[in-house]
Amino acid sequence: MLFLVVDDSMVARTMVNNVLEPMGHEVIQAGNGQEALKILDKLAREVGVVLLDWNMPIMNGFEALQAIRSNRYCDHISILMVSTESEAEYIDRAMKAGANGYLAKPFTKDELIDKINSIVQSSSE
Amino acid sequence: MTEKIILLINRDAAFLDQTGSTLEDAGYHTRTASEMRGALALLSANAVGLIICDKALQDVSGFDLLNFIKKDPLREKIPFMFLVPANEQGGAFKAFELGAADYLVYPLAPQILVDAVDELFATDDDVPLPSGIPEAHPTAAANGQTSPTDDPIPVSGLIIDVSRDGVLWLPGNVQSFSRQSLYIETALFGKQGVSLLARIKRADGTFVLNGYIKEIRFEDFQKPAIIEMSVQEEEAWRRIHDDLTQKTQHQTQEAADQPEVEPQLEKTIVMSPTGIDKTAYKTGPFKPSKKKDPSYDRRFYHSLIGRQLDNYRAITLIGTGSMGGVIQGWDVALEREVALKVISYGLSSKESFREMFIKEARVVSRLNHLNVAQIYYIGTSSDILYYAMEFVDGLTMKELIAEQGNLNNLKGLEYFITVCEALYFVNQNSVIHRDIKPANIMITRAGNIKIVDFGVAVSADTVKKTTNNQIIGSPMYMSPEQVAGLSLDNRSDIYSVGATFYHAFTGQPPFQGTDFKTIMAHHVQTPLPPIRKKNANVPAALARIIEKMMAKDPLERYKDFQYVANDVKALRAHIVDRKRPSSRQTKTSG
Amino acid sequence: MDTILLIDCSDDVTTSMAGLLKGNHQVVNVSFEDRDIPGKNKMIILQAHDDLDAISKKISKIRYECKFRDIPIVVVKQSEDQIPLEYYLSSGATEVLPLDAPPGACRQILQGYLIPSRKPLESETEYLTPFIENTINVLKATAQMDAVFREVYFSNDFRIFGDISGIIGLSGVSEGTVAVTLYWDLARKIIANMMHVADNQLNAEYIHDGVGELINVISGSTKKRFKGTPFHFDLSLPTVVVGSGHQLGHPDNSSIAVLIFDVAQMAFVLQVCLKPKQKQS
């Protein structure tokens, strides 16, 4: 499956990348919400899951989440919010805006794998 | 820029076609989009020089797009022309507020559009390339490969602050500048394209410039980098730029006269470990705000922070005075907040002072009154002389006066009465404060008065008499006999309280002057300036009370604080009575 | 008995220091090359000489060897030396005393630094504990490393000594700054582990980015522990700073907690300055 990993930290993106690739997934990366939307313009059909950080410059993850959810070409895409902002109201807001899951930073490799597997499973149902 | 691409955004395909060809015919290249996302994609792929956008787009409103673009540091400078229908011109104002360069009303004649576009391009020739690719590399510019107007001008000794978030600031050493950019050596690392703030302190104020990181150059990842900051065209920057240019030319002239200075400068920049190079402090024309070396006393108080003296943990330094520093502390044994007063090294190294201090502080520590900040403990830990006293959480009367202008109201009268009654109690116990002043009267959060700094002044005064080298205390509130170095009794405190409340009720101290000596001489010789000349709203009876307290001859003052308190209370009763609408007005004589 | 280490001090300076430091201290004078491990010492006194560059390097070296411990480094300089104090302080010195300073002041300042550090107050423990726990937690979860909290001391000077720091400004119900500071080797190791790559595959750009992410995750995950308390805050964007000696402001009326951690035989610090806007009742 093709994953779009959106995080302003190169290290955070690479960390996720290096977990997903050995699982047999493909990964493309974006540094902020705006870049992510641009990529989805071209690749909406191919992308299966978007991982979105919350705090990013230019366009944050929540704004990107709203933009993706208002685009009918992206209806099939599962969105996993990955953020240090993990207070209940943040999670609430994201889920109400159409996120499919929420993973709080920091997470272990196993926690990420579990979350990915459950998202992939439910999106292929 | 050789090509000028215009981005047209409108949800009406026919309009896009028609307007596009009009502009193409006029010699412009155009790209078209019908919604925000398409527009953003085109913006990143093309060097767009102008955006012409309709009010309503397919996905969002034109205002949203405008707002979005003005927040993007790489694109905010692209001129944005708004199209509004003739019947909705109110929207134009909003567009200008958001930063639009112009607006046109449609339906519109092709020639009007072309003229407006021509005009915009004629005035705006320095639109940055949207992809963030640097237009002029500093080294390339220094080699003379670009036009002379863009050449960064080298500068030395200009230390500014840079920040990503406006909260945390780090120093930056400006290496050179041009009209568009500052080249800053700094340890703060960023990424290309992120926004950056530069704070410049100057004689006429502190200016914060907005911009973004256009390029980062570093030879060694472990050392400071040179950041090219693209600075927003703002009035402040224009002024600073012109001023810098002038000063630098002046400096270059000076450098030419002294050729040996230059190589030395270069050398220190290289050997400087953190960008703070010593020559910057000496030879640069832009002297950084030269911080005065903190006094040894201050440095001594600082050395105590984070340590534990006997049972007291030193938390933070809350103030310094001529006698010592006050540190917020915590009593480990009794688990309560305390104020630790640490005596300055100058005083504590005098054996006579130490003895006196301890003796007097013991007397004061026995005073037990609600309005007197209590002394808990006197210590001499590791040669350090200090005492622990009640921690008063509130404002000093000095701060209160500064905040409110003056305290000429009922609340002020209450304070006056409380202070007099507390000092009556103190004097009855054979203690004279000797340093009553607005800064030594505190008002707690709960509104209670606390008189602080007892005991110290007593000892200090005695020392002053014996060593006679330094004035300790507060000349603005000193009694004439104190100035003269005579022996003091409670009437000296009465004078000082009078001076303190003179200040509180009028907002000005009784005597002013440029130096201590002048003010002290006033206390002895100059007749007291009438209170009501300084504040006509002070009741005449109150003015008389204070003037009596401040009589030059102690014999002409009140005998003790009880008499003062009684008079003030009577005055208060009178004022309160008069404020009651039903009561009849009566006249009192002094 | 505590040792006070004098480095490169002339006979005159040694004698006057011994006079000022009378008491229960053993004063030892050595050359820079023969210096002992600074960890054993209560205080280090270094005499400055003409070669500014060399003295700055010496101070940095000693500061590095102190492994972030609260060991004051006092520089004694010539009276005629006009170099600003900041030059020495930014290299790692704690205090600078010119030879013509009043001896009474010098004695008190030196005595001040020799007084043992205080322990945290209850209210400080309340907000420091979540930072300590989360720092350990973040390193365990993301870098699979076991960090151990060693000690805390308090300073009222917010200055960083290390190769690279990630700093984040806090605002909201509480205000302040949090900074993580590491030496280069440890930073490389932690970031490599975070990314699941070998040390040698990392370029410095990743380390810069990773240290920013590290402070972001530490403060972000700690923030939620303060929900509903006077210590709650919002985060700004992380700032990454290279090199040592930077002073991050000198906040009035605050004390900065310096938390020292050990991991993989190396040390790093988390400095926390957090001030609730409303006083706790």
Side-chain angles (χ1 to χ4, degrees), chain C residues 40-184:
Chain C
K40 286 192 210 157
N41 304 297
K42 274 288 273 181
M43 179 184 277
I44 295 161
I45 297 173
L46 180 72
Q47 188 173 359
H49 40 71
D50 290 342
D51 188 345
L52 262 188
D53 194 25
I55 190 80
S56 159
K57 283 195 176 123
K58 282 181 185 176
I59 301 170
S60 304
K61 192 88 201 292
I62 298 169
R63 185 47 80 197
Y64 175 80
E65 288 164 346
C66 290
K67 287 187 165 179
F68 299 113
R69 273 192 211 89
D70 184 21
I71 300 172
I73 301 175
V74 177
V75 172
V76 177
K77 66 169 191 173
Q78 297 300 320
S79 331
E80 59 273 19
D81 178 346
Q82 293 299 313
I83 305 305
L85 299 187
E86 184 59 26
Y87 184 86
Y88 298 106
L89 298 179
S90 67
S91 304
T94 313
E95 184 55 271
V96 184
L97 300 172
L99 281 170
D100 61 352
C106 293
R107 188 174 60 237
Q108 296 256 280
I109 291 169
L110 294 173
Q111 292 288 8
Y113 282 114
L114 285 170
I115 297 174
S117 291
R118 71 174 175 90
K119 291 203 171 62
L121 309 179
E122 229 170 87
S123 61
E124 289 166 335
T125 308
E126 195 183 330
Y127 71 81
L128 292 177
T129 308
F131 275 107
I132 295 168
E133 288 172 0
N134 276 298
T135 303
I136 292 170
N137 189 19
V138 166
L139 281 172
K140 182 74 188 165
T142 62
Q144 308 88 49
M145 291 172 95
D146 292 305
V148 179
F149 169 63
R150 196 206 312 145
E151 62 184 79
V152 57
Y153 70 90
F154 293 87
S155 160
N156 71 346
D157 190 9
F158 206 140
R159 209 180 263 278
I160 49 176
F161 294 105
D163 290 334
I164 183 162
S165 303
I167 309 159
I168 210 157
L170 315 175
S171 58
V173 183
S174 265
E175 292 178 325
T177 307
V178 188
V180 65
T181 299
L182 309 100
Y183 284 109
W184 207 249

Side-chain angles (χ1 to χ4, degrees), chain A residues 8 34 38 41 59 71, chain B residues 37 40 44 68 72 191:
Chain A
D8 59 327
Q34 196 183 326
K38 271 181 226 156
D41 263 348
M59 183 193 262
N71 182 342
Chain B
R37 288 175 50 198
L40 292 177
S44 61
F68 185 82
D72 178 347
K191 292 173 200 167

Side-chain angles (χ1 to χ4, degrees), chain B residues 303-366:
Chain B
S303 75
L304 300 174
I305 300 304
R307 318 214 165 248
Q308 181 161 342
L309 289 117
D310 305 317
N311 271 340
Y312 303 103
R313 289 180 186 159
I315 314 293
T316 141
L317 186 65
I318 47 185
T320 55
S322 54
M323 301 285 310
V326 184
I327 292 172
Q328 188 189 336
W330 179 261
D331 184 334
V332 181
L334 296 170
E335 301 202 324
R336 62 180 174 187
E337 280 186 308
V338 292
L340 300 171
K341 182 124 185 179
V342 182
I343 304 307
S344 77
Y345 77 87
L347 288 174
S348 70
S349 56
K350 291 185 180 77
E351 206 49 53
S352 57
F353 177 87
R354 297 179 77 93
E355 280 169 24
M356 197 109 47
F357 171 84
I358 292 169
K359 212 176 93 197
E360 301 283 353
R362 256 184 220 134
V363 174
V364 176
S365 69
R366 286 183 210 123

Side-chain angles (χ1 to χ4, degrees), chain A residues 76-104:
Chain A
H76 64 283
I77 295 176
S78 300
I79 301 176
L80 177 62
M81 293 298 289
V82 183
S83 175
T84 54
E85 298 287 6
S86 52
E87 286 161 23
E89 66 237 47
Y90 281 88
I91 300 177
D92 260 18
R93 269 175 75 196
M95 298 311 275
K96 279 194 185 122
N100 302 76
Y102 207 108
L103 182 59

Side-chain angles (χ1 to χ4, degrees), chain B residues 84-296:
Chain B
V84 253
N87 57 347
E88 280 182 45
Q89 290 190 42
F93 295 108
K94 189 176 172 192
F96 279 123
E97 242 174 61
L98 291 170
D102 199 357
Y103 85 98
L104 292 174
V105 177
Y106 65 82
L108 90 168
Q111 195 50 48
I112 293 179
L113 175 67
V114 173
D115 286 350
V117 170
D118 283 347
E119 195 188 319
L120 261 178
F121 275 122
T123 55
D124 206 304
D125 256 337
D126 55 2
V127 177
L129 290 174
S131 55
I133 299 160
E135 279 171 87
H137 195 277
T139 48
N143 292 339
Q145 287 168 9
T146 49
S147 65
T149 50
D150 285 349
D151 268 1
I153 305 166
V155 62
S156 71
L158 177 56
I159 313 277
I160 62 167
D161 295 317
V162 289
S163 176
R164 294 224 25 222
D165 55 10
V167 179
L168 185 79
W169 296 87
L170 281 164
N173 194 350
V174 179
Q175 309 271 297
S176 58
F177 64 96
S178 67
R179 200 161 270 285
Q180 293 84 26
S181 298
L182 278 169
Y183 300 89
I184 309 160
E185 185 192 33
T186 175
L188 181 142
F189 271 64
K191 292 173 200 167
Q192 197 177 309
V194 300
S195 58
L196 193 71
L197 302 169
R199 186 168 66 187
I200 302 185
K201 288 196 185 94
R202 292 158 51 86
D204 51 340
T206 298
F207 299 92
V208 176
L209 305 173
N210 294 290
Y212 64 92
I213 299 179
K214 199 164 175 187
E215 207 202 343
I216 308 172
R217 284 191 300 140
F218 36 95
E219 278 138 35
D220 183 336
F221 278 99
Q222 308 193 26
K223 297 223 170 97
I226 309 272
I227 285 181
E228 180 187 352
M229 174 185 177
S230 182
V231 190
Q232 242 176 47
E233 270 290 309
E234 286 169 304
E235 179 53 33
W237 168 237
R238 241 171 269 143
R239 265 198 6 240
I240 294 170
H241 174 272
D242 295 347
D243 194 38
L244 283 178
T245 313
Q246 240 179 12
K247 277 193 182 158
T248 316
Q249 276 161 358
H250 188 63
Q251 181 205 8
T252 318
Q253 192 52 50
E254 273 180 9
D257 297 343
Q258 302 166 303
E260 76 278 8
V261 176
E262 215 44 54
Q264 207 185 330
L265 261 182
E266 299 260 331
K267 199 179 153 218
T268 7
I269 288 170
V270 177
M271 66 187 237
S272 158
T274 56
I276 300 157
D277 68 276
K278 58 167 180 157
T279 50
Y281 290 87
K282 281 183 175 173
T283 55
F286 314 100
K287 296 220 165 57
S289 60
K290 217 177 200 173
K291 249 173 49 187
K292 233 181 85 190
D293 276 3
S295 75
Y296 291 109

Side-chain angles (χ1 to χ4, degrees), chain B residues 546-565:
Chain B
I546 289 175
E547 281 156 10
K548 185 170 177 186
M549 292 171 83
M550 291 184 72
K552 305 280 182 216
D553 182 351
L555 290 169
E556 288 173 23
R557 292 179 207 150
Y558 286 94
K559 200 167 135 259
D560 62 43
F561 275 109
Q562 195 60 60
Y563 289 99
V564 187

